[in-house]
Amino acid sequence: MQIRKTLQHLGQRILSTSRRISALGVASVLVLAGCEGDAAEDTDAASAVDGTSGTEGTDGTDGSTAADGDVSADGTDGTDGATVVKGAPPELSDLKARVSGRAGHDISISVIVKDKEKDVAGVEVRVLDAAGTPIKAFRSGLEPEPDSASTRLPFEGNTVLASFIGKVTMAGVALEFPDIATLEIAVFDLAGNTSAVATVSVTAQELKALGEQCDPNYVDSRCEQGLGCVGNPATCGEGTAPNIDKLAYIVDELGPRILIAGKEPEDDVASVFLEFLDAKGDALEVDFDGDESPDGTTFDIDAAGKARDGLYFVAITPSVAFSEAVPQIAVTVSDGAGHQSERKLVKQSKTSVKGNGAACDPRGFDSCGTSGVCAPNAAGTATNCQPKLTIQVKRCGEYPAVSVGVGSQVVSGIAAGVSTWDAPTGCAAADPVGRPEGLVVLDVVEALSSLTLSTATDGTNFDTVVYVLDACGKADAGILACSDDTSDGALVSAAGMVVLESVNPGKYYVIVDAWSLEGGTFNLAIDAN
């Protein structure tokens, strides 16, 4: 049985370095719990409120925050009732940055932001070492290795405020690039306006040994690997093994996937150990490299540095061939100190489908069906199934329209959060669904002979699927064009490009969807003739 059929079937796609390719031909994707943003005192505008980020980066209301795919445009005007996309640049103050987390793997940024237009999207970050030399820690495009010292990141939580404390966590950056000492930060809004650049030194965490007092919030200090900050007063003590709270091996129309979630108090999950079993529970040999010779009965998935705030979630997407050959698996999760979870077995099953209003898990342990989406409730305290069309209408209503006439411009955006659209069947290789997307609303103000939209630009750092709708929040919305840039099943490019001919004035809704489980940032080039 050839496990590498995963990559062959999906057009030999190369996944980003934020995901690790194993001999199983799977991507290990770790979705982390959201963080909470605090209110800032606003002296000249409406007071800010808490911006709490829910699972998958949403703000707990209508999925329309920067983390759900906000866009920025370079110098555009709205007409015919479209939102005007322009204004003054945002202002920033009280900038702070520090190594953070139970394991010290992250860098957290906090900044007070003021913006009268209430359209701030995120931050531009540039990282440098102690000598002021830029460190290439990010991918500027689809290259497999980091090639840039700069990136754009969305704020966590609600940013539709005149004043707020913006928070961003660069997960894993301190682990992979420990020489980062200084950050250059600027805040950008949906109109492409950028604040002045501010510089801040990255404050280190103090490392505490066994028996020493520690900060239970893991801000000022953390314990050595394998230790936990426990007790009153809090001191560094022996750590505990990770727990597996949820485990599923799902095989349905969306394809096979293995989902693992649980607790790791020390945030030092290291690996996920998979055992392949037949229907009787006996070890099953699997061919990893496609040479028709069995290679092993087990495999380790690297999960180092991916737990956050005491929680972890791992989603593994094996091939259909794998699911056909392996009816059940056993899973053991290990941490950096060698502690192991209880070994748990799981058989193949289908997703449990929930009705509207029912509690749901947006990580995929259950489903809201084809007409629903698992999204935060109005209070942001839980997630439940909501009508997909309702969520679409809310998102479209929050996005500023980009005015399009003859000429060229570039729109920046972020694909993240709960998925509310899926590419039409047959457009994208393997027809992925439930992927994060970004939304760009276009207001075409004059008749055009052609309109070209492309993500083949610097600043697009994920595999995109681009499609255009003629309406938002309607079951019969027409799909005017779709591109995954594939030809006869073979991948030509990870960018998408669509061309519309004889375009009439009006609103058009461009979805920049992610082909894989993770999204990213994109620049959408718009050429109108």
Side-chain angles (χ1 to χ4, degrees), residues 45-63:
S47 61
V49 296
D50 269 359
T52 301
S53 173
T55 304
E56 304 267 344
T58 58
D59 71 345
T61 53
D62 58 16

Side-chain angles (χ1 to χ4, degrees), residues 371-387:
S371 62
V373 61
C374 187
N377 60 17
T381 56
T383 52
N384 54 28
C385 290
Q386 302 174 40

Side-chain angles (χ1 to χ4, degrees), residues 137-157:
F138 312 105
R139 295 177 301 118
S140 62
L142 292 164
E143 294 76 10
E145 299 297 332
D147 65 336
S148 175
S150 302
T151 191
R152 281 187 166 192
L153 299 167
F155 280 120
E156 299 162 354

Side-chain angles (χ1 to χ4, degrees), residues 212-283:
E212 292 186 325
Q213 289 193 354
C214 53
D215 179 2
N217 296 317
Y218 299 96
V219 177
D220 295 326
S221 65
R222 69 181 190 276
C223 298
E224 292 177 346
Q225 185 174 5
L227 303 179
C229 188
V230 296
N232 187 16
T235 57
C236 292
E238 288 294 338
T240 58
N243 293 330
I244 300 178
D245 294 332
K246 280 189 172 184
L247 177 62
Y249 180 13
I250 298 172
V251 179
D252 57 18
E253 64 278 3
L254 303 184
R257 51 206 184 276
I258 301 167
L259 308 177
I260 311 155
K263 300 181 183 67
E264 170 44 62
E266 291 76 51
D267 272 3
D268 64 343
V269 165
S271 64
V272 174
F273 183 65
L274 301 180
E275 301 173 58
F276 313 131
L277 308 174
D278 62 19
K280 296 180 180 179
D282 296 328

Side-chain angles (χ1 to χ4, degrees), residues 67-316:
D68 274 334
D70 281 347
V71 298
S72 61
D74 293 335
T76 58
D77 296 316
T79 59
D80 298 333
T83 303
V84 177
V85 188
K86 61 182 181 180
E91 300 176 2
L92 63 83
S93 62
D94 197 22
L95 176 62
K96 299 175 183 177
R98 66 180 310 122
V99 174
S100 62
R102 285 168 167 81
H105 292 162
D106 309 332
I107 294 179
S108 295
I109 302 168
S110 174
V111 59
I112 294 180
V113 179
K114 292 187 177 182
D115 185 67
K116 293 181 179 179
E117 287 84 22
K118 302 181 182 181
D119 64 344
V120 165
V123 293
E124 295 181 352
V125 183
R126 187 167 182 254
V127 297
L128 308 97
D129 64 17
T133 303
I135 297 176
K136 293 181 179 180
F138 312 105
R139 295 177 301 118
S140 62
L142 292 164
E143 294 76 10
E145 299 297 332
D147 65 336
S148 175
S150 302
T151 191
R152 281 187 166 192
L153 299 167
F155 280 120
E156 299 162 354
N158 186 12
T159 61
V160 189
L161 301 164
S163 179
F164 61 94
I165 295 179
K167 293 187 176 182
V168 172
T169 300
M170 298 191 293
V173 170
L175 173 66
E176 295 189 48
F177 304 96
D179 292 334
I180 293 176
T182 303
L183 306 181
E184 294 178 349
I185 302 289
V187 178
F188 68 95
D189 65 17
L190 302 181
N193 299 310
T194 304
S195 72
V197 176
T199 302
V200 62
S201 296
V202 178
T203 303
Q205 277 181 316
E206 188 175 356
L207 192 62
K208 300 290 187 175
L210 181 66
E212 292 186 325
Q213 289 193 354
C214 53
D215 179 2
N217 296 317
Y218 299 96
V219 177
D220 295 326
S221 65
R222 69 181 190 276
C223 298
E224 292 177 346
Q225 185 174 5
L227 303 179
C229 188
V230 296
N232 187 16
T235 57
C236 292
E238 288 294 338
T240 58
N243 293 330
I244 300 178
D245 294 332
K246 280 189 172 184
L247 177 62
Y249 180 13
I250 298 172
V251 179
D252 57 18
E253 64 278 3
L254 303 184
R257 51 206 184 276
I258 301 167
L259 308 177
I260 311 155
K263 300 181 183 67
E264 170 44 62
E266 291 76 51
D267 272 3
D268 64 343
V269 165
S271 64
V272 174
F273 183 65
L274 301 180
E275 301 173 58
F276 313 131
L277 308 174
D278 62 19
K280 296 180 180 179
D282 296 328
L284 182 65
E285 289 192 324
V286 172
D287 174 17
F288 294 158
D289 53 17
D291 62 359
E292 300 184 358
S293 176
D295 294 302
T297 62
T298 64
F299 199 84
D300 261 315
I301 302 294
D302 184 359
K306 300 301 183 178
R308 173 83 59 81
D309 296 333
L311 303 173
Y312 70 90
F313 169 58
V314 182
I316 304 168

Side-chain angles (χ1 to χ4, degrees), residues 80 402 404 442-446 503-509:
D80 298 333
V402 177
V404 177
L442 303 182
D443 184 23
V444 176
V445 298
E446 59 182 311
V503 181
N504 293 321
K507 292 284 185 67
Y508 297 85
Y509 302 86

Side-chain angles (χ1 to χ4, degrees), residues 457-501:
T457 55
D458 289 339
T460 300
N461 63 3
F462 66 102
D463 190 344
T464 62
V465 181
V466 180
Y467 43 104
V468 184
L469 309 177
D470 63 3
C472 177
K474 294 183 178 180
D476 59 350
I479 299 170
L480 304 180
C482 180
S483 171
D484 185 34
D485 242 358
T486 58
S487 177
D488 297 328
L491 184 68
V492 175
S493 166
M497 183 178 74
V498 298
V499 180
L500 302 179
E501 305 286 350

